Amino acid sequence: MVERNPVSPTLGELQGVFAGTLMEVTFDAEIKGSGTAGTPPEVAPLLRACGMAETITASTSVEYQPASEDHESATLYFHEDGSLYILTGVRGTFSTALTAGEVGKFSFTLTGHVSGPSDASLPVASYSDVVPPPAIKMPFTVGGYGAVISSLSLDTGNSIATPSDIAAEDGYGEIIINDRKVSGSFDPEGTLVSTKNWVGEWQDGTTQAINSGAIGSTAGNQFSLSIPQGWYKEVGPGDRDGLRTYDIGFGAAGGDDAFTLAYT
């Protein structure tokens, strides 16, 4: 809305002017495979709209890595109590959360050009019958050391630009992913310095691989995360059920190989 504040002999304001809008949608989705190795998961279009490049190895795996160009966009149909919004040219960012004993989740924040609302009947939805595996029996290593953690998160940190376009119907041009700052966190149990010097590695700026093993044991419904060059951004004290832990925030060095999400 554009405010209008002309010189006036009275207090108050004039009616504002609607001058275009975009729409942001946020939601979570379960982390699970398609049920068939080498077939993309149901969230594949969303991952690609968040700047991820998709590599399919037939009957084996589907991998996602960040891409710096040729980003796909998506179209979203958002139904709400008989109203339909259609978002086009959608791009965005996402984060991943894995917590022991729970189902892994993606959290998406997507922005698009919007039309609607219009009246529309709710669609007859068809849901995947693949059951997501819980985050248990998942090996986790940092620099080859097997750490005991209760949670692991990763945020792609995409920066979304919405440049103005005076010729566009809504006043905005193409929605663009123009930067990426990957970050994440995990919470290892405390160790002797001689076993794993978490603070020393932070102070020394040590880069090391951060890897999850596969979550799930059934082909077509396994998920793993790998970060070849992780580095600690912060290391602080923590507590888990009376046990000493560290709260570690990390970044991922590198370009389009900063991390890999793999479905197998």
Side-chain angles (χ1 to χ4, degrees), residues 3-167:
E3 293 185 0
R4 301 163 61 210
N5 296 305
V7 175
S8 171
T10 64
L11 299 177
E13 62 179 353
L14 298 180
Q15 178 182 345
V17 177
F18 174 77
T21 188
L22 299 171
M23 188 172 186
E24 182 180 273
V25 178
T26 62
F27 57 91
D28 296 339
E30 295 175 334
I31 297 178
K32 61 181 181 179
S34 65
T36 302
T39 298
E42 61 184 2
V43 296
L46 301 173
L47 295 175
R48 299 198 304 268
C50 290
M52 302 295 286
E54 181 181 76
T55 301
I56 299 174
T57 302
S59 303
T60 303
S61 66
V62 183
E63 294 186 347
Y64 296 91
Q65 289 185 311
S68 294
E69 57 185 7
D70 298 327
H71 299 145
E72 294 186 37
S73 65
T75 297
L76 298 185
Y77 294 81
F78 172 41
H79 290 266
E80 184 180 44
D81 294 333
S83 296
L84 170 62
Y85 297 85
I86 300 177
L87 281 68
T88 58
V90 172
R91 293 191 173 100
T93 189
F94 73 96
S95 61
T96 306
L98 301 171
T99 302
E102 298 183 12
V103 172
K105 294 287 183 67
F106 288 123
S107 295
F108 292 95
T109 300
L110 304 172
T111 303
H113 303 276
V114 61
S115 64
S118 61
D119 293 334
S121 299
L122 290 175
V124 177
S126 176
Y127 294 97
S128 167
D129 60 2
V130 175
V131 177
I136 57 176
K137 296 187 289 186
M138 181 194 83
F140 178 77
T141 60
V142 181
Y145 171 75
V148 178
I149 64 171
S150 69
S151 64
L152 169 65
S153 70
L154 179 78
D155 190 334
T156 56
N158 288 342
S159 175
I160 306 300
T162 56
S164 300
D165 182 351
I166 202 169

